[in-house]
Amino acid sequence: MELQGRATSKSPPRVKLTWAPIDLDAYRSSHRKQIREWIRENAPPSQSTASINTQEFHDAFEWLIVHVVLPDDGQSISRASNTVNPDTKTSKRGSAAVTEKVRADFNGASKTAVDRVAQIQITRGSESVPPARNNEEPLAGWEEFISKTKALVLSSFDLRVTQYEEDIKERDAQRNIPGWNFNTFFVLKEGLARGFESVGLVEDALTGYQELALGLTSIIEIEDDEGQRGDHFKSFTDELSAELKQALQTETPQRQRLEEKSTVLSFFGNGQTNDNGHVLGSNILDTNRKPFRELILANEISVFDFRCYLFAKEVSLLLRLANVSGSPNFDESSATGRVETAKSDSQDFLLLAEVCRRATEFLAASGRMIRDDLRSSIHPLSRGHATPGLSSVSTFDDTIEDILACWTFSAAQRILQVTRTPSLTNQLQPLLRNVSPSHETHSPAQSSAMDHDRADLPRRTSSLPVHANQATNPLSPDKFPSITSLDAARLLPPTSLQTGTQELAAQHAELELLKRRIIADVGQRYGRFGTHGIRPQASDPFRSDDMEEIALDGTVSNINGTQNGHNPLSADVVNGLQDQDPEQVPQSNESFSKAYEDLTAMALALNVVGERRRSAESLTADLASCRFRLKDYSTAAAYFRQLATFYYNNDWMRLEISMLDMYAQCLQHLDRKTDFCQAGLQLLARLISTRGTPCRLGGINERQGPVDVGHYLQDVIDASAHLKQTISAPLHNFFGHVSLDPYIRHFDNHDGFKTCLKLQNLMEARLEAQEVRVRIVGIDTDQHDEIWLRTETSEILQPGANLITVQTTTMSPGWYHVELIEVRSANILFVSDTAALTSENFCDQPIENEARNQVSELGKTHVLVWPDEEALCVRLSLSRSIHLGKPRSVEILISTGRNRITQGRLVLRACSAGLRLHTADAKIRSGDTPISAKSQSGSLDLGAFDAASEISIRVPYGLESDLANIKVRIEFIYTVDGREYLHIHSKGLNIQLPLNVNVQDNFQQNALFSNFKIGTANSIPARISEYNMQTTEVFRVSMSYSTGEPLEIFPRQPLSLVAKIQRSALDTQITQADLVSQCKLLLKLRYACLDKEISTVIEDALSVPLRKSESSDLTRLLLTALSQVTASALSIHDLETIALSREIPIATFAQYGWESILAGLRPERRAIISRWLVDWHEKHRTIRLPSKIDSRNLLDLAVPVEIPHVPIVVEARVEICGCPTGAGDTPVAALDQSLLAEVTIQYSRYWAQGPGQISSDDLMSITYELHASSDIWLLGGQRKAQFSAKANDRCKFSVVLLPQRLGHLLYPSLEVRVAQVHDNSRGSQVSTDTVIDDVAYELDYLNQADGILIVPNLSTSTVSLDGNTDAGGGAWLVECKTRSDR
């Protein structure tokens, strides 16, 4: 018995075994000799006396003697038994003795000799299987046998591999020696690979075959470069040559029409065989269909067969690695050639994907080999005589292409069969039901995906042809999966995919696409897809339909490949294709297209599973094109809807245009006007962007001839007229060089302005625009004011440049930028974005603030809007008269200018949080126009206005929070001559008062002196022209003297005004209620702030000469800019300097920043006004500030002054008795002289208002105390006392003052406390137990600021002056007398 490897039955054995079921006696008598003879005949040469050669090393093997113990022969051994059977002891010893005897005879005496003897025990019967596991000793025998067998197999394998490697190395070194044959080298190296395969080293075997494939490619390339093919390769393949000869030698019948029966797809049938029993190309994986090794050694193999053999070997090894059971060889499989596959979870999908990848590359590269092979095979036939059936070179080439297509299609189908798995099929089922409209018909291309799962089931066939239009109803558009987002993946089963499923699906898709390309090529060559080919558009969508190709033989053919419009399809044989069952062959163009579509659907589903997004999109386009050609517009539209964006995002512009054209035609056929308009606009935009000029869409479609863009545009416009909604489209896709003239022009007879819009119509035809609008948005304002400019009538936009006048009746002064441009035609709205606008005519001057610079960087056009001199004007300011005790208000001044207004509406909007405008309380301050209605909150309806009239409206406001600034937006809508206008004015106001007023009251017995401190609140100097406080029936008021000149107020020098307030003589005749109500006086101030005076003076100096110049229409623009610049240019120091010097310095033209202000004017106007302003600045270096305040700058401020309620006013005085007075009635006293003083205190209720708890007869407890510093005064006597007194009672107390310092000393300070006594005790003293309450009072200390002069206590002094300095002379005090001694 010989143990062999896996390769083939002809492979030499690895280990030879001899089985010896003998006893000891038989061994000694005869078996020993038989074993020795067997070893002599079968042992390797190294172990025998025969000579050794290389081939014997290639076939190296080992041997093993197996002693078999048979229970039936009484040789049984029961080593696992616990008891010893006397009958079996002899058998046991005998069996062991035989084994040991064999080892001693045949293993050799060397210590390193290999043990080639094993003993096994078998069960009853003839099956050599191991005994039960519970018998350990027999099991050990079997394990020993298996171990020795493996070791011997590996030993023989090592010998063979070593010899092969040495021979391969030797032969490879001889490569450059003449006569070296690759085929011999191939057989040698393949032997090594087969050896690897036989022992399970499949990866090593695969590497060997890959190296051989590279070597074959290298040899072929070298021979091709040398221009000759060696003798070791046959020039053609017999099978291919026989197919070609049969096709060319068959008599060709008369051609028939396309509608009749044909066999163009017969070679794509379901397993039909030729004369050899195989479909051409279906046995590509069968390595036993030819004796390839013998042909290689005999140099009788063609290059094509050589490559096919190598490819088949690689595939078989990869399938073995992928755990695919069975053999891919045709003769070793079932009748259908199907490979039995293992369970999906045990297969390696990545290796199966690798098989498909290599198959795709091999099949793609085999085309050239097959063509060269077939051409080489026909040359001997065509030498010396004509070839029957070969009518032209074109027919011969078509025949070759048909055979190539047949072989490639069948080979690809075979690869798909051996690599398909149930898991992948389950993934494809839900996708195919949703992607392919005809999936339920189970076309041949798709049903092949399930053949291996349904091989054992009966299959129904029908003689009726299957047409595409008989398939199931197409899905509605919303049921088609979106390939772009791979939503079709949601149709997959919820189970997780096995590793490698995506790669396998992707490679299957490549093979399906290869099959589809074959069908497409054959169908186009024989006109099976109609006159327009597979897709209903040419490869170049801009090429005209009438282009023709001129053949060299004089025939004219169109781009689809049919000659003179005739179909060359035969009824029985088409250029060498075999006749097949016509019932299973497509009978019409629609059926052929259906086969193409089914393969496309299969590839699409596989690409979705493989997550190949772009490939899926491309296949979706193919499906859509097929459905479009079959006039299934609903299905085609559902596909096209997903494709345009994909092609656009990947810069496949021409493909996108083709898709959009067909999509639009589908929508037009389906009468879906909204979708048609959107698709049509997108198509036109792509055409214009591709060509950049007026163009026409060239391509094959249902239209007759090229599609005119103008006609297409008109179709879109006409369709949109029936729509209820508006369809928007980007304007820059249809119009180029869009720009807006940034320089506005005013109307001569009414308000508003106009400008020009320039745009280029990129479409070929005229476009009637019912309306053109431009929206400009404010830059400086927080509210982003916007103005719409529009055309008054329809405009005809001609192809090329167009100039359109747009105008508006809205006026909102300020800087604007263009944000939006709209062109409306029917219900199509072309909308622009600012990024698409050109940079032509942009403002090239710097703009003053940061917001404008940011917009300029974005490339937006800037427009300066301002009203002319005669236009309506609206101004907003704070009220000129402010009463601090009443709600504050704003004033709105409306100047009509040249407008005679019939009616107007004033709309006020608060732009500050917490601001509330009380329009219901609004009043006309000046003007003849009344407020007709206040129906809506925030709006006022006004009557008619005359031209050149003004109206001032005062609107109160309230604040919910403390704000320093407020902002109000005014919209004045007015009607003039039946036309409505709008003026917008927004302004921020500083509501903080420029002045602050503080008051300090000093009460006396019969008068109140109020000292008002008036200062600036914002550090801006001001001037007060008038001030007064009105006298009432209760109080008489007299103010400090006024000279009539304005009084200056500076930030660090406030104004002090003193008012003397006394009770009126008629006080007794006024009721108590009137007394309380008239305790509030009103201080009125009329003033002007210096900054407003400066602005008025400068504006007057500029406006008077400007109105007389040729630029008078710019007065309002320049004055507005001038006031803003002036307010921000002067500092506090400058204002104080101007207030003192009364002269205003004027900065230069550049310092005022006129360039940025005038940037919105046309260059010619800018130059004129710039020269005028430069001259004005030269003439007005300083401007005199008038001493008289202009009435336009005067403001009124009313400050309520409340007379305080003081129940008691205490008057106190300290009088020094007997003290002489000096200059100014100032008392004079000597130092250290005791001064007797008298403290006099009394109180009154003169300033008490109304009845209270204290009456005139009540006693009041008064406590006083004198305070003085000890280094100034020493106090004695009653310096502190408490007493009770009634109103107007005068109380006196004596004190002694002793001065401690020379000079003017202030009187000691006096502190008084007044309380009301509830339990009075008679007398002037109050007991300590009396309960008293403190009472509010005011103290009038008459000596508060009085002083006394303290001089030294000396009257005379006598001094001696001695001039003799040598005798110690000098000044000597002789005598002095004090004032008391005098």
Side-chain angles (χ1 to χ4, degrees), residues 34 37 249 356 444 459 496 499 544-545 605 647 776 821 932 960 969 978 1057 1100 1103 1110 1198 1224 1260 1262 1266 1314 1356:
Q34 294 175 0
E37 292 177 356
Q249 293 176 0
C356 296
R459 186 175 303 173
S496 59
T499 302
S544 178
D545 286 349
Y647 287 117
I776 57 177
I821 297 177
S932 59
E960 295 180 356
R969 175 186 172 91
L1057 299 178
D1100 292 343
S1103 61
E1110 58 181 341
M1260 305 300 297
I1262 300 175
L1266 290 173
V1314 180
T1356 60

Side-chain angles (χ1 to χ4, degrees), residues 534 949 1166:
I534 300 175
S949 61
R1166 191 187 313 162

Side-chain angles (χ1 to χ4, degrees), residues 281-292:
S282 62
N283 56 355
I284 184 175
L285 301 181
D286 185 8
T287 57
N288 297 327
R289 57 188 172 91
K290 285 185 180 182
F292 286 103

Side-chain angles (χ1 to χ4, degrees), residues 35-51:
I35 292 174
R36 185 175 290 112
E37 292 177 356
W38 179 85
I39 293 174
R40 185 181 302 110
E41 295 175 357
N42 297 285
S46 60
Q47 302 174 15
S48 64
T49 59
S51 60

Side-chain angles (χ1 to χ4, degrees), residues 1257-1277:
D1257 298 332
D1258 291 341
L1259 285 175
M1260 305 300 297
S1261 175
I1262 300 175
T1263 303
Y1264 79 91
E1265 183 178 1
L1266 290 173
H1267 297 279
S1269 178
S1270 60
D1271 58 347
I1272 298 177
W1273 295 100
L1274 292 179
L1275 304 179

Side-chain angles (χ1 to χ4, degrees), residues 1210-1212 1239-1243 1262 1264 1283 1289-1291 1310:
V1210 179
E1211 181 183 87
V1239 178
T1240 303
I1241 299 176
Q1242 67 175 1
Y1243 75 93
I1262 300 175
Y1264 79 91
F1283 63 96
D1289 290 346
R1290 187 181 299 267
C1291 299
L1310 179 65

Side-chain angles (χ1 to χ4, degrees), residues 425-440 442 446 450 454 472-475 479-481 491-493 601 605 639:
T425 303
N426 294 334
Q427 297 290 332
L428 295 177
Q429 288 298 321
L431 285 174
L432 290 174
R433 283 194 297 268
N434 288 271
V435 173
S436 176
S438 58
H439 174 70
E440 297 300 330
H442 298 298
Q446 291 180 354
M450 291 79 73
R454 304 180 182 180
T472 57
N473 294 330
L475 300 177
K479 291 185 179 181
F480 279 87
L491 301 173
L492 300 179
Y639 281 118

Side-chain angles (χ1 to χ4, degrees), residues 740-893:
L740 183 71
D741 185 3
Y743 309 118
I744 67 171
R745 292 173 295 171
H746 295 97
F747 297 103
D748 296 333
N749 55 356
H750 62 86
D751 294 350
F753 64 93
K754 60 183 177 180
T755 186
C756 294
L757 175 67
K758 294 187 294 184
L759 52 83
Q760 182 181 6
N761 184 3
L762 300 179
M763 295 173 284
E764 190 177 56
R766 299 188 310 166
L767 176 67
E768 182 181 359
Q770 282 76 28
E771 185 181 34
V772 178
R773 300 199 306 169
V774 179
R775 184 174 69 185
I776 57 177
V777 179
I779 299 174
D780 296 332
T781 60
D782 296 335
Q783 300 297 322
H784 295 291
D785 295 335
E786 64 177 34
I787 298 177
W788 282 97
L789 296 92
R790 52 175 54 84
T791 55
E792 286 191 327
T793 59
S794 299
E795 295 284 343
I796 303 298
L797 303 181
Q798 301 292 341
N802 292 269
L803 188 64
I804 304 172
T805 299
V806 289
Q807 61 184 10
T808 182
T809 57
T810 301
M811 175 56 63
S812 179
W815 279 98
Y816 290 80
H817 69 84
V818 179
E819 186 179 70
L820 189 66
I821 297 177
E822 295 180 353
V823 177
R824 180 185 295 274
S825 180
N827 281 326
I828 302 297
L829 185 63
F830 301 98
V831 183
S832 75
D833 53 358
T834 53
L837 299 180
T838 63
S839 58
E840 297 178 4
N841 298 330
F842 282 178
C843 295
D844 55 357
Q845 298 295 334
I847 302 178
E848 55 186 354
N849 57 37
E850 183 180 358
R852 298 182 196 163
N853 290 332
Q854 292 176 354
V855 175
S856 179
E857 292 175 1
L858 297 176
K860 298 180 180 180
T861 303
H862 300 96
V863 180
L864 178 61
V865 177
W866 82 96
D868 61 352
E869 183 65 15
E870 298 181 358
L872 180 135
C873 179
V874 177
R875 294 186 180 92
L876 175 67
S877 63
L878 291 175
S879 176
R880 290 180 174 273
S881 299
I882 298 177
H883 193 294
L884 296 183
K886 297 180 180 180
R888 302 176 64 177
S889 59
V890 294
E891 288 189 3
I892 302 171
L893 178 64

